[in-house]
Amino acid sequence: MSVNGCLSPGDFQAAPPPLVQRQTISPQEGWQVYSSAQDADGRCICTVVAPEQSLCSRDAKSRQLRQLLEKVQNMSQSIEVLNLRTQRDFQYVMKMESQMKGLRSKFRQIEDDRKSIIARNFQELKDRMDELKPLIPVLEQYKMDAALISQFKEEIRNLSAVLTGIQEELGAYEYDELYKRVLRLDSRLRSCMGKLTCGKLMKITGPATIKTSGTRFGAWMTDPSALTRNNRVWYMDSYTNSKIVREYKTLEDFVTGAVSRTYTLPFKWEGTNHIVFNGSLYYNKYQSNIIVKYSFETGSVLAQRALEFAGFHNMYPYTWGGYSDIDVMADELGMWVVYATNQNAGNIVISQIDPDTLQVLNTWNTEYSKRNAGESFMICGTLYITNSHLSGAKVYYAYSTKTSTYEYVDIPFHNQYFHISMLDYNARERALYAWNNGHQVIFNVTLFHVIKTDDDS
């Protein structure tokens, strides 16, 4: 290139980018030549200063100064190009950041919606599966219909696999179709269960923790005599000095705390061993041996009756105390009361009572001390006694009202929260409801059945 038209293009050659060339004009002057820059299209821009002997007759110092000024201007242009590029890239980055934030928000919303749908749509299915599974080992024991049992097992296994898959990937199965399959299987199994007589307790599994609420001691229950679609839950916190009963329309409402009604009883209760049966609450009246029947529908007392000679107010409680002298129960055969008397030396007494009048129908005196027993429950007319106050809990004593005999058994179960203050059997659900140190839990039970046949009288 030429400088001010004084030199020809062949006198000098531009240096290749992006290197910086440094050349001395003459030893006397000590001027140096620099060249390095790129325009917006990436082309090289070079600046050179000719040797002193090739300059025109103009003042050398002035021309060199002007060349340096041009060099500065070239560098300024290069910097401006870089600045424009930087601004453009910065705007692009800002736009991408905004899009990424939007995508993150959408993904988070999709994940939340997915979890909500799973929790709402499939909890009921899981509950039904839990109810159905304990029946399979019972059916297997008899082999009355091997093909039918195999089919039941396969259907339950398939449905369980589907439910597990749904947890991982929503939409793996159409909900309505899955729901219909569960209902069909439920109907068939319940039809089969109708052929079963009362069973003997063989196994306790769980627990499943439903909720954590209230004080260390309390009671919660459903109505075993209610229709299947009626799943109301009742909740009574503490073992004394209270009249408040809370009602929830469904188990889901109980978990979320959505109270449907609150009842104020006419009398305070003692202990935690109450039941709801056929729409009424049965409980031990405070500081007495009186059983009270209270109707939730009318809000009034339908009946009350004293248990003759029964101890109360911590005279003969279970081992953990809590005024648990009188325990009201229900099973497949009716309603029962478990307590102790002086006449029976403080040992457990079992009485079957009329649910309407509370009149004692029959009584059995055992030889087992009430104070040495943990919580107990009735299944098919047999009283099962536990050491539920201990961490290594188990059922270890069973008294049959059919034969008026007892036996020692060894059926362990998991006392997960170390202090059970309420344990009641629900015949409709074939499960044990428990209050375990401020946690409301459910145990599943496995019963040994005798299957009725058409030949049986």
Side-chain angles (χ1 to χ4, degrees):
M1 63 182 294
S2 64
V3 180
N4 290 334
C6 298
L7 302 176
S8 64
D11 292 334
F12 298 98
Q13 209 170 23
L19 300 176
V20 177
Q21 288 190 349
R22 178 174 182 174
Q23 181 177 356
T24 303
I25 298 177
S26 68
Q28 294 82 5
E29 297 296 333
W31 291 84
Q32 296 177 346
V33 179
Y34 297 86
S35 62
S36 178
Q38 288 184 342
D39 62 11
D41 297 323
R43 293 174 299 188
C44 180
I45 302 174
C46 298
T47 303
V48 300
V49 177
E52 183 180 13
Q53 60 268 26
S54 301
L55 298 176
C56 298
S57 58
R58 298 180 183 179
D59 181 74
K61 300 284 187 179
S62 175
R63 296 192 59 189
Q64 290 173 350
L65 183 60
R66 186 165 52 253
Q67 289 173 346
L68 290 174
L69 181 60
E70 292 175 355
K71 182 177 184 67
V72 171
Q73 292 174 346
N74 288 337
M75 293 176 64
S76 297
Q77 292 176 359
S78 298
I79 291 173
E80 183 64 25
V81 170
L82 292 175
N83 181 58
L84 290 175
R85 282 187 176 182
T86 300
Q87 290 293 330
R88 183 176 58 193
D89 292 344
F90 178 74
Q91 292 176 0
Y92 177 75
V93 170
M94 291 293 290
K95 181 178 179 182
M96 290 301 296
E97 182 181 14
S98 176
Q99 292 177 351
M100 290 176 67
K101 287 182 178 178
L103 288 175
R104 264 200 312 267
S105 177
K106 289 182 179 179
F107 283 134
R108 190 178 297 112
Q109 181 179 355
I110 290 172
E111 180 65 17
D112 292 342
D113 291 346
R114 176 177 176 272
K115 292 178 179 179
S116 176
I117 291 172
I118 290 175
R120 184 175 60 253
N121 288 351
F122 301 105
Q123 183 62 44
E124 181 180 354
L125 296 179
K126 289 180 180 179
D127 293 341
R128 285 185 176 275
M129 292 306 305
D130 289 340
E131 292 178 6
L132 299 178
K133 284 180 179 179
L135 186 60
I136 296 304
V138 177
L139 295 175
E140 286 182 327
Q141 295 179 44
Y142 306 100
K143 304 298 183 182
M144 297 296 293
D145 190 342
L148 179 62
I149 292 173
S150 177
Q151 183 180 354
F152 282 167
K153 288 180 63 178
E154 187 63 25
E155 289 188 44
I156 289 179
R157 189 180 296 110
N158 291 340
L159 290 176
S160 298
V162 169
L163 289 174
T164 302
I166 289 173
Q167 288 283 14
E168 301 173 355
E169 184 63 37
L170 185 63
Y173 233 94
E174 191 67 33
Y175 172 78
D176 291 339
E177 176 60 26
L178 184 61
Y179 185 76
K180 291 177 182 178
R181 289 182 62 184
V182 172
L183 288 182
R184 288 196 296 268
L185 181 59
D186 179 65
S187 176
R188 293 167 65 188
L189 286 176
R190 290 189 183 279
S191 175
C192 181
M193 288 169 61
K195 299 180 180 180
L196 301 180
T197 62
C198 262
K200 178 180 179 180
L201 180 64
M202 301 298 293
K203 184 178 180 181
I204 301 175
T205 56
T209 300
I210 305 302
K211 189 177 182 180
T212 301
S213 63
T215 61
R216 292 184 64 195
F217 318 106
W220 72 293
M221 64 216 79
T222 60
D223 188 343
S225 63
L227 298 176
T228 304
R229 63 177 179 272
N230 184 343
N231 293 310
R232 288 187 294 174
V233 176
W234 289 272
Y235 178 89
M236 301 167 70
D237 191 12
S238 185
Y239 63 86
T240 189
N241 201 32
S242 180
K243 297 181 179 180
I244 303 302
V245 180
R246 293 180 175 85
E247 178 183 289
Y248 304 82
K249 288 184 177 179
T250 64
L251 189 63
E252 291 74 17
D253 286 350
F254 174 65
V255 172
T256 60
V259 179
S260 61
R261 291 190 64 181
T262 299
Y263 302 90
T264 301
L265 302 177
F267 314 111
K268 296 178 182 179
W269 66 73
E270 273 199 355
T272 58
N273 305 115
H274 336 291
I275 65 165
V276 173
F277 189 82
N278 198 24
S280 293
L281 173 68
Y282 297 79
Y283 70 97
N284 180 201
K285 184 178 179 181
Y286 180 64
Q287 290 189 339
S288 76
N289 59 5
I290 296 175
I291 304 297
V292 177
K293 177 183 179 181
Y294 174 83
S295 170
F296 287 122
E297 182 178 356
T298 64
S300 61
V301 173
L302 299 183
Q304 54 181 318
R305 185 181 294 270
L307 282 173
E308 189 176 16
F309 306 122
F312 60 92
H313 204 63
N314 266 359
M315 181 180 294
Y316 297 117
Y318 288 129
T319 304
W320 68 273
Y323 303 150
S324 54
D325 303 70
I326 298 176
D327 193 344
V328 188
M329 309 176 183
D331 68 357
E332 294 85 349
L333 303 182
M335 186 171 294
W336 309 82
V337 182
V338 172
Y339 55 101
T341 65
N342 286 331
Q343 286 72 11
N344 197 34
N347 293 328
I348 289 178
V349 176
I350 306 170
S351 291
Q352 188 169 20
I353 62 174
D354 186 309
D356 295 326
T357 65
L358 305 182
Q359 181 179 359
V360 173
L361 304 177
N362 206 344
T363 295
W364 294 260
N365 292 323
T366 76
E367 297 179 358
Y368 197 94
S369 171
K370 179 79 160 49
R371 284 183 171 273
N372 291 337
E375 286 289 323
S376 62
F377 53 88
M378 297 285 293
I379 297 180
C380 294
T382 296
L383 177 68
Y384 294 94
I385 297 177
T386 76
N387 58 352
S388 56
H389 57 291
L390 302 178
S391 57
K394 65 179 181 179
V395 177
Y396 60 90
Y397 180 92
Y399 186 94
S400 171
T401 59
K402 294 180 182 178
T403 61
S404 297
T405 59
Y406 69 89
E407 64 175 328
Y408 289 98
V409 296
D410 188 0
I411 305 174
F413 61 96
H414 184 36
N415 186 359
Q416 184 169 355
Y417 304 106
F418 312 112
H419 197 296
I420 294 178
S421 59
M422 167 253 173
L423 189 63
D424 278 334
Y425 174 66
N426 186 301
R428 183 186 71 170
E429 300 176 15
R430 295 182 184 268
L432 294 172
Y433 279 62
W435 188 292
N436 194 339
N437 208 1
H439 303 268
Q440 292 75 53
V441 303
I442 290 179
F443 294 91
N444 286 322
V445 299
T446 300
L447 305 180
F448 181 88
H449 294 273
V450 176
I451 298 180
K452 293 179 181 179
T453 64
D454 294 338
D455 296 333
D456 294 337
S457 56

